[in-house]
Amino acid sequence: MTLTVGLDADDTLWHNETFFADVQQRFAALVGHYIDDDAATLMAKLDVRERANLAHFGYGVKSFTLSMIETALELTDDRVSGRDIATIIDMGRAMMTHPVLLLDGVQETIDALATHYRLVLITKGELFHQEAKVAASGLADRFSAVEVVSEKDVATYAGVLQRNNISRDSFVMFGNSVRSDVLPVIEMGARAAHIPFELSWGHEDVDADGFPVLASIRDVPEFLVALR
Amino acid sequence: MTLTVGLDADDTLWHNETFFADVQQRFAALVGHYIDDDAATLMAKLDVRERANLAHFGYGVKSFTLSMIETALELTDDRVSGRDIATIIDMGRAMMTHPVLLLDGVQETIDALATHYRLVLITKGELFHQEAKVAASGLADRFSAVEVVSEKDVATYAGVLQRNNISRDSFVMFGNSVRSDVLPVIEMGARAAHIPFELSWGHEDVDADGFPVLASIRDVPEFLVALR
């Protein structure tokens, strides 16, 4: 049986949370000119707004940018200047167009995996931005399918497998989010392993164990050989 | 040969431009408190910003909302109040969550088509919002596939057909945009017909002819019978 390897993208193949963390710091510095709260408090308030807005605006940079503007207005009682609002939008625009930085070991590992397995990229977020990042990554032709989804739950993975004629017992998923890349795949009856990234968004953190954890994407080929 | 019927969603199955036009009017009224330009001029300036932002932020309500904020800042030399910026974001949030209003004749036509043909929904825009609208429309189970795409060009349609094992000579597309729903499908070698909607965004308007035009979605079944 030929295995199909599912791979997450943001913070599994390339940097993402790094850019968010940087912009959150700059947001805190900007709002810190108006009120006395420290950076951690300001970022925590942004996080609350961001999670509340998931239900209205979904994941991704544009939703995050709107959340930054709303939080800046709320925290300053609407005193934040028009110039600073424009700066926030420019921060969002820069996030949409920043270069794609592959994580360590990704290029050679994906090249090696592509010679032995069918690879499927499964990524959550905004269609427009995710497609742009896939194109810019230089990895697009290694994947037999690229699936951009709005949420990663059991139904989503079942749909991806069905659309691509993949059986559950031949599918193995790898990603940095236990919540999105590991637990729903195992619940569906396929296999998954966690590849932690140094940064994670609290929304994606869950307290769970009982699944394989790899130190690096470089360990994926050996992990797959051991499964056979 | 069983035909596969492709259908656009926004302004083909349900109202969309109606909501944009309403919000554009309210945007012009809001900015009109600060400067003397008439509503048509203000909306034209918003349209310029919106088109420029397509390359950075893509299609959809969130991109449009960011464009409204930027245009308000530009036109008022950053004098627009924080309260008015918050109002603009609330206008965007309301667009994301408004009820889905089916166009006249859609429900019964889709029900009738679904008994004879394989139906595929092909819609351009934000994944999160488009999926929400498909779910809220009550039409989801009539479609064998729902394809949310970031742009509708020849390559996109070729990918949709390939993913769904549809041959070009068995595919017929219907939609309100000549630019997005008709011309690329014909260029690809399949068939398409235009169903104009009373409103259209200038970005989607093109000067072209030589394709069938239907007065209403109610005319689709008869059009398909005549093709056989």
Side-chain angles (χ1 to χ4, degrees):
Chain A
M1 178 172 58
T2 304
L3 292 177
T4 296
V5 176
L7 287 148
D8 172 56
D10 288 342
D11 298 324
T12 298
L13 300 183
W14 51 67
H15 282 279
N16 180 62
E17 194 61 27
T18 316
F19 293 105
F20 274 88
D22 175 58
V23 171
Q24 282 158 358
Q25 293 276 2
R26 290 166 57 205
F27 170 83
L30 183 149
V31 176
H33 288 132
Y34 296 88
I35 60 173
D36 277 341
D37 291 354
D38 61 16
T41 303
L42 296 172
M43 288 191 284
K45 288 179 175 171
L46 170 60
D47 190 63
V48 169
R49 166 57 66 182
E50 201 183 342
R51 293 189 197 211
N53 270 340
L54 284 181
H56 303 129
F57 292 124
Y59 292 95
V61 167
K62 288 179 283 189
S63 182
F64 175 64
T65 305
L66 291 168
S67 294
M68 284 196 288
I69 297 169
E70 288 196 302
T71 307
L73 290 166
E74 286 160 7
L75 293 180
T76 66
D77 291 323
D78 293 338
R79 288 182 298 118
V80 61
S81 73
R83 191 85 308 269
D84 282 340
I85 299 279
T87 297
I88 289 172
I89 295 178
D90 284 338
M91 285 156 56
R93 184 180 282 106
M95 291 179 81
M96 293 293 286
T97 51
H98 66 68
V100 171
L101 299 178
L102 297 186
L103 297 180
D104 184 50
V106 163
Q107 181 75 60
E108 52 270 42
T109 303
I110 296 297
D111 286 346
L113 289 173
T115 65
H116 292 90
Y117 305 100
R118 180 180 177 194
L119 306 187
V120 177
L121 187 70
I122 307 173
T123 178
K124 183 176 73 180
E126 291 176 338
L127 190 60
F128 177 79
H129 194 199
Q130 294 292 332
E131 286 185 351
K133 289 196 278 192
V134 171
S137 74
L139 299 174
D141 67 352
R142 300 291 188 275
F143 291 91
S144 70
V146 174
E147 295 271 354
V148 182
V149 298
S150 58
E151 189 59 88
K152 283 179 163 177
D153 51 24
V154 172
T156 300
Y157 282 106
V160 167
L161 266 57
Q162 187 181 21
R163 273 196 297 281
N164 294 283
N165 292 312
I166 302 165
S167 66
R168 286 167 197 216
D169 58 352
S170 70
F171 182 70
V172 192
M173 179 76 193
F174 298 91
N176 73 300
S177 168
V178 171
R179 172 202 181 98
S180 295
D181 302 318
V182 177
L183 297 183
V185 177
I186 291 173
E187 186 182 340
M188 183 187 60
R191 285 168 290 188
H194 186 211
I195 310 175
F197 182 65
E198 59 202 38
L199 291 175
S200 71
W201 182 26
H203 176 72
E204 296 293 325
D205 293 340
V206 292
D207 185 22
D209 54 19
F211 47 80
V213 180
L214 306 184
S216 158
I217 197 167
R218 294 182 193 278
D219 298 336
V220 167
E222 191 179 317
F223 178 85
L224 290 169
V225 168
L227 283 185
R228 289 194 292 199
Chain B
M1 177 172 59
T2 304
L3 293 177
T4 295
V5 175
L7 286 148
D8 172 55
D10 288 341
D11 298 325
T12 298
L13 300 184
W14 51 66
H15 282 280
N16 180 63
E17 195 60 27
T18 316
F19 294 105
F20 274 87
D22 175 58
V23 170
Q24 283 158 357
Q25 292 277 1
R26 291 165 57 204
F27 170 83
L30 183 150
V31 177
H33 289 132
Y34 295 88
I35 60 172
D36 278 340
D37 290 354
D38 61 17
T41 304
L42 295 172
M43 288 190 284
K45 288 178 176 172
L46 171 58
D47 190 63
V48 169
R49 167 56 68 180
E50 201 183 341
R51 294 187 196 211
N53 270 339
L54 284 182
H56 303 129
F57 292 125
Y59 291 95
V61 167
K62 288 179 283 189
S63 182
F64 175 64
T65 305
L66 291 168
S67 294
M68 284 197 288
I69 297 170
E70 289 196 303
T71 307
L73 290 167
E74 285 161 8
L75 293 179
T76 66
D77 291 322
D78 294 338
R79 289 182 299 118
V80 61
S81 73
R83 189 87 306 268
D84 282 340
I85 299 279
T87 297
I88 290 173
I89 296 179
D90 284 338
M91 285 156 55
R93 184 180 282 107
M95 291 178 81
M96 293 293 286
T97 51
H98 67 67
V100 172
L101 298 178
L102 296 186
L103 296 181
D104 184 50
V106 164
Q107 181 75 61
E108 52 270 41
T109 303
I110 296 300
D111 286 346
L113 289 173
T115 65
H116 291 89
Y117 306 98
R118 180 181 177 194
L119 305 187
V120 177
L121 188 70
I122 307 173
T123 178
K124 181 176 75 180
E126 292 176 338
L127 190 60
F128 177 80
H129 194 199
Q130 293 293 333
E131 286 185 351
K133 289 196 278 191
V134 171
S137 73
L139 299 174
D141 67 352
R142 300 291 187 275
F143 292 91
S144 71
V146 174
E147 296 271 355
V148 183
V149 297
S150 59
E151 190 58 89
K152 283 179 163 176
D153 51 25
V154 172
T156 300
Y157 282 105
V160 168
L161 266 56
Q162 187 180 22
R163 273 196 297 283
N164 293 282
N165 293 311
I166 302 166
S167 66
R168 286 168 198 216
D169 58 352
S170 71
F171 182 70
V172 192
M173 179 75 192
F174 299 91
N176 73 299
S177 170
V178 171
R179 172 201 181 99
S180 295
D181 302 318
V182 177
L183 296 183
V185 176
I186 291 172
E187 186 182 341
M188 181 187 62
R191 286 167 289 187
H194 185 212
I195 309 176
F197 182 64
E198 59 202 35
L199 291 175
S200 71
W201 182 28
H203 176 71
E204 296 294 325
D205 294 340
V206 292
D207 186 21
D209 54 20
F211 45 80
V213 180
L214 306 185
S216 158
I217 196 168
R218 293 181 194 279
D219 299 335
V220 168
E222 192 178 316
F223 178 85
L224 290 169
V225 168
L227 284 184
R228 288 193 294 200

